[in-house]
Amino acid sequence: MTMKKIITIAGGGSTYTPGIIKAILGQAKRLPVKEIRLYDNNQQRNEDMALIIDFMLKQEQLTDITLLVTEDPQKAFTGVDFIFSQIRVGGLKMREKDEKIALKHGLIGQETCGLGGFAYGLRSIGGLLEIVGLVQKYAPDAWILNYTNPESIISEAIRRSYPTAKMINVCDMTISLEETLAENYGYNRKNWIATYYGLNHFGWYTEIYDKELKRDVMPELLEKLANQELKVADFNAGDTSWQQTFTMLSVLAKNFPTQIPNNYLEYYLYPDMILEHTDKNYTRANMVMDGREKKTKQMAQRIRNGETKDILDFNFGEHGQYIVDIATSLLNDEHRRFMIIVPNNGSIPNLRADAVVEVPAYVGATGVESIALAPINDFHKGLMEAQVAAEKLLVDAYFEGSYQKALQAFTLNQTVPSARIAKIVLDEMIEANQEYWPKLT
Ligand code: NAD
Ligand code: G6P
Ligand code: MN
């Protein structure tokens, strides 16, 4: 019988927390839990979430699980087994600035792609370094499972400072995309073994083998994608902006019909089309603030008012289950296969070894074992190499406090057509991020 575990959610106030907790509670056998801790640097958000999680525990009659709510890292991390990290340094207000500053200058304004993602990266690195440092101090044996974005940049930075930290970086996009494909076109994703390579939010499938049908279904999925629009499932509180994303996936599949791409490639390959249907004054950050953030606050307020009927209202698809499955695979040495963000080290043989890539990996008691893939084609390799170099320059800029490296990173970003615009956006972002970025000189 596995000993009961303690899990800390760093960024406890995130709207994704109820979905993760629901997934944890659904895995009582494989991941028995005695205590859940919510750690956040915003007391109000943490306390709101505590009301919701406490409500969930009582509803499930799981009152033997302790709920600890704290802004004190020592209390949050001492003695824990797992940390699930999902912080957003600067909050959605700063995400809004990332998106709008880039858009103002005619560039893609996006959370993790383009210059918005770079701005977020320079904020996020510090927050994550702090958390990983605190975990090394208070719970060096614990596993950190990280969802905090932008993942490639975070992973690159953390491994420079903490090369041996027990940290696994994951993204829910591949699993969400697979689920959306399976639901739309009548397959059962549980039968799939997917092979994929890339950087985070920047990759391609090579095969989707269906164990039941005993064939690679990627060619037929590609054909369906090109002819039958994909409808968004209940993903990230599925709203219209995500529908647009999946519509664009058909454009990608039609024009490059050999491999299924990660939908985020639309920002690099079709920025003009994306910009055409982007509202510069009301971006994804606004939608999230008016959508799931507001809904979460309302849930907490209703519980505070003593209401008990129809309180819980959230659905984030596969997000919670994915990170919990990785935790159970570690804990029980299950050797299940996931897409994980890891140092390349030969997985993609013709890409630099020190790139941080996203590839299939098996997860067991000793951590992550990524698979070795075949060499990749020049089109994808060229795109990835430019992106890797840009991200590495950005991380250099963070550690060296180098304006020149930041400018090089911004210029090399493939959503940027001119070094002149790169500099204008960089200077404006420096101004907007004074509180969060290291000083760049
Ligand atoms: P959010 O702003 O609603 O929640 C983040 C929480 O983190 C907030 O409550 C905030 O107060 C807290 N926080 C910020 N800085 C902190 C710090 N230094 N220490 C402790 N707590 C801190 O954001 P969200 O939309 O819920 O997203 C959370 C994170 O998860 C983001 O980084 C987002 O990009 C990421 N995310 C990643 C994936 C993925 O596939 N990798 C999927 C979904 C979300
Ligand atoms: C997907 C991606 C995440 C990203 C999220 C944004 O889940 O994998 O990396 O953070 O979408 O969703 P949002 O609803 O905040 O725009
Ligand atoms: Mn992601």
Side-chain angles (χ1 to χ4, degrees):
M1 177 69 194
T2 320
M3 293 256 293
K4 290 193 173 182
K5 301 296 170 193
I6 306 177
I7 300 178
T8 294
I9 313 258
S14 157
T15 50
Y16 289 97
T17 298
I20 293 178
I21 300 293
K22 185 165 177 244
I24 293 173
L25 301 181
Q27 291 295 328
K29 286 225 169 67
R30 286 157 71 216
L31 181 58
V33 169
K34 65 177 174 196
E35 184 172 341
I36 292 170
R37 299 182 189 168
L38 301 184
Y39 169 67
D40 203 289
N41 63 2
N42 181 320
Q43 190 181 356
Q44 183 61 54
R45 293 181 66 103
N46 219 16
E47 283 174 1
D48 275 5
M49 190 51 64
L51 285 170
I52 296 170
I53 305 307
D54 181 59
F55 184 89
M56 287 172 74
L57 291 172
K58 288 192 176 125
Q59 197 178 50
E60 303 283 325
Q61 294 174 334
L62 291 169
T63 40
D64 56 328
I65 297 181
T66 307
L67 177 64
L68 180 83
V69 185
T70 182
E71 291 78 59
D72 175 350
Q74 184 169 359
K75 288 193 183 124
F77 299 127
T78 303
V80 301
D81 299 287
F82 291 101
I83 296 99
F84 295 172
S85 154
Q86 45 167 2
I87 66 168
R88 185 187 289 285
V89 177
L92 288 159
K93 275 278 159 220
M94 287 308 294
R95 173 178 180 176
E96 182 184 14
K97 288 197 180 166
D98 297 344
E99 293 168 346
K100 289 187 178 171
I101 293 173
L103 282 167
K104 190 171 115 191
H105 297 284
L107 304 181
I108 288 294
Q110 214 279 327
E111 180 196 22
T112 63
C113 300
L115 298 188
F118 276 13
Y120 186 20
L122 288 180
R123 283 199 303 281
S124 211
I125 291 173
L128 250 288
L129 282 174
E130 189 189 334
I131 285 179
V132 175
L134 289 162
V135 172
Q136 304 318 298
K137 183 167 169 196
Y138 297 121
D141 293 328
W143 278 102
I144 305 167
L145 305 190
N146 180 53
Y147 260 149
T148 301
N149 268 319
E151 289 265 15
S152 293
I153 293 164
I154 295 294
S155 310
E156 174 67 28
I158 297 296
R159 74 171 172 149
R160 289 192 195 182
S161 295
Y162 297 102
T164 58
K166 291 172 74 177
M167 179 168 182
I168 298 179
N169 295 292
V170 281
C171 165
D172 63 15
M173 199 64 244
T174 51
I175 198 80
S176 304
L177 178 55
E178 288 161 34
E179 183 63 19
T180 306
L181 288 165
E183 261 188 37
N184 270 265
Y185 302 140
Y187 296 82
N188 181 357
R189 178 184 53 84
K190 300 272 180 311
N191 296 330
W192 285 359
I193 303 171
T195 304
Y196 173 95
Y197 60 75
L199 315 171
N200 182 232
H201 292 183
F202 201 105
W204 296 265
Y205 287 87
T206 55
E207 183 184 31
I208 298 180
Y209 183 76
D210 190 305
K211 289 186 276 185
E212 198 68 28
L213 301 171
K214 297 194 171 31
R215 63 171 185 264
D216 174 12
V217 295
M218 189 176 73
E220 57 207 79
L221 289 171
L222 268 164
E223 199 172 309
K224 290 189 165 90
L225 248 179
N227 297 306
Q228 229 175 295
E229 190 183 305
L230 207 55
K231 290 276 172 236
V232 68
D234 241 341
F235 162 60
N236 274 5
D239 55 37
T240 48
S241 88
W242 280 101
Q243 181 55 55
Q244 193 58 48
T245 292
F246 289 115
T247 305
M248 279 303 294
L249 199 66
S250 293
V251 175
L252 283 157
K254 251 182 224 152
N255 288 295
F256 300 99
T258 50
Q259 290 177 235
I260 294 178
N262 189 304
N263 48 276
Y264 278 96
L265 281 159
E266 67 189 42
Y267 296 111
Y268 298 98
L269 299 177
Y270 294 98
D272 49 344
M273 287 179 76
I274 300 287
L275 285 168
E276 259 170 42
H277 57 67
T278 302
D279 183 344
K280 293 183 176 52
N281 301 312
Y282 193 78
T283 58
R284 180 74 198 148
N286 298 113
M287 293 179 210
V288 175
M289 286 187 271
D290 291 343
R292 64 169 189 262
E293 194 177 50
K294 205 170 258 171
K295 215 159 90 174
T296 304
K297 274 189 204 138
Q298 281 164 356
M299 268 192 257
Q301 194 49 45
R302 292 186 57 208
I303 297 168
R304 206 175 272 120
N305 293 344
E307 292 181 46
T308 52
K309 264 204 146 56
D310 304 323
I311 296 289
L312 300 176
D313 178 12
F314 55 86
N315 189 348
F316 300 118
E318 300 301 309
H319 180 87
Q321 195 57 48
Y322 199 53
I323 199 165
V324 167
D325 282 345
I326 294 169
T328 69
S329 203
L330 278 168
L331 185 61
N332 308 313
D333 196 29
E334 289 167 11
H335 286 268
R336 292 174 66 185
R337 180 174 166 128
F338 304 91
M339 298 305 171
I340 309 268
I341 299 157
V342 288
N344 183 25
N345 288 336
S347 256
I348 303 172
N350 54 341
L351 187 79
R352 57 195 281 184
D354 67 348
V356 172
V357 296
E358 186 168 346
V359 291
Y362 290 85
V363 175
T366 58
V368 169
E369 293 168 336
S370 50
I371 71 166
L373 294 148
I376 61 172
N377 63 66
D378 274 336
F379 178 43
H380 297 172
K381 183 165 173 276
L383 287 165
M384 281 165 68
E385 275 173 350
Q387 181 72 5
V388 169
E391 288 175 353
K392 281 189 181 289
L393 285 164
L394 189 84
V395 176
D396 289 349
Y398 177 89
F399 284 112
E400 296 166 21
S402 164
Y403 180 90
Q404 178 56 212
K405 289 276 182 76
L407 181 59
Q408 289 177 11
F410 271 51
T411 304
L412 190 53
N413 188 296
Q414 287 162 90
T415 63
V416 178
S418 141
R420 182 183 70 83
I421 297 175
K423 184 167 175 15
I424 294 171
V425 174
L426 174 60
D427 290 343
E428 232 175 276
M429 284 179 165
I430 287 176
E431 193 61 32
N433 282 280
Q434 279 178 15
E435 237 185 279
Y436 303 101
W437 282 11
K439 202 166 166 40
L440 300 178
T441 52

